[in-house]
Amino acid sequence: MEALGGLTAADLGASSLLAIAVALIMFGGLVPRWLYRSALEEKDKQINEKSLENIALRDLAAEQSQQVTTLIQKVELSLHIAEVVKKLGEEAGT
């Protein structure tokens, strides 16, 4: 049998082993299966929420990129129109 602190399970007895198991559970050495599964489910839920948030942020970034591209094209057109009007104004002024 495996020794625990120099003592074997036969030396300790059933009540001592039970007391050790309870102490381990109380101080976090052993975690009950239901607690482990609920913590795991909570982590999975958080991961899914973060994944959905990341997808939403990626969609938002794509939309903003498209809007910026559209605005740049319109600004370039506006600058071109302003240059043409300026040239026409200079030609008319001479």
Side-chain angles (χ1 to χ4, degrees), residues 15-90:
S15 60
S16 297
L17 291 177
L18 180 61
I20 290 171
V22 169
L24 284 172
I25 290 171
M26 288 175 55
F27 294 112
L30 294 176
V31 179
R33 184 180 301 263
W34 64 268
L35 182 61
Y36 169 76
R37 287 189 179 177
S38 67
L40 190 61
E41 287 174 6
E42 183 64 29
K43 282 294 183 187
D44 288 342
K45 181 180 168 186
Q46 290 175 356
I47 289 170
N48 289 336
E49 288 173 358
K50 288 292 182 184
S51 296
L52 293 175
E53 288 176 10
N54 286 340
I55 290 170
L57 288 175
R58 192 177 320 129
D59 292 343
L60 180 63
E63 182 181 346
Q64 288 176 343
S65 176
Q66 180 62 35
Q67 289 175 350
V68 167
T69 302
T70 303
L71 287 173
I72 288 174
Q73 293 170 352
K74 291 181 180 183
V75 166
E76 288 174 349
L77 178 63
S78 299
L79 287 174
H80 179 69
I81 291 171
E83 288 174 1
V84 170
V85 169
K86 183 179 177 182
K87 284 183 185 178
L88 288 176
E90 289 175 353

